[in-house]
Amino acid sequence: EVQLVESGGGLVQSGGSLRLSCAASGFIFDDYAIGWFRQAPGKEREAVSCINIGDDTTFYPDSLRGRFTISRDNAKNTVYLQMNSLKPEDTAVYYCAANPNRVVLRIASLYDYWGQGTQVTVSS
């Protein structure tokens, strides 16, 4: 059974940092790309960052490049999202997702598996 379990969310003040974790199981980690997405109330789900596990290719939207960093630990089958200089507009539920296409994709519908999400709230 494929499982993606996010953790690390919480409440942080503006300017603070959080590191989210996505623990994967039930599939061959190296054969997938993992994406982080977020969804704020009333807004569409948007790609935050993606990494292709096999070759470390990464994607960041221009608006988040430099503040967010994605990384992976193959020994733990875990992908991390380090978020720095957080802003109130970063407040959202953050999800990790997996796609078997081995390419970084920013389109949520192309991901086959999703975690349950973790809430990130940034206070001003």
Side-chain angles (χ1 to χ4, degrees), residues 6-12 18-21 36 83 92 94 117-121:
E6 303 97 335
S7 61
L11 174 64
V12 63
L18 282 175
R19 188 178 80 156
L20 305 183
S21 299
W36 282 100
M83 305 186 295
Y94 284 70
T118 186
Q119 176 71 46
V120 171
T121 303

Side-chain angles (χ1 to χ4, degrees), residues 19-91:
R19 188 178 80 156
L20 305 183
S21 299
C22 172
S25 61
F27 60 91
I28 300 174
F29 196 57
D30 287 5
D31 288 348
Y32 278 69
I34 304 294
W36 282 100
F37 293 79
R38 68 185 181 185
Q39 188 164 20
K43 294 188 176 181
E44 292 187 357
R45 192 167 295 191
E46 63 173 342
V48 172
S49 185
C50 310
I51 184 168
N52 182 32
I53 303 300
D55 65 8
D56 258 359
T57 304
T58 58
F59 161 79
Y60 301 93
D62 289 343
S63 59
L64 298 178
R65 191 183 303 274
R67 290 199 300 125
F68 288 14
T69 303
I70 194 169
S71 62
R72 87 285 186 276
D73 183 335
N74 284 35
K76 296 182 179 179
N77 280 12
T78 299
V79 172
Y80 304 98
L81 182 69
Q82 178 68 41
M83 305 186 295
N84 298 328
S85 302
L86 283 163
K87 305 174 182 180
E89 51 264 43
D90 294 319
T91 295

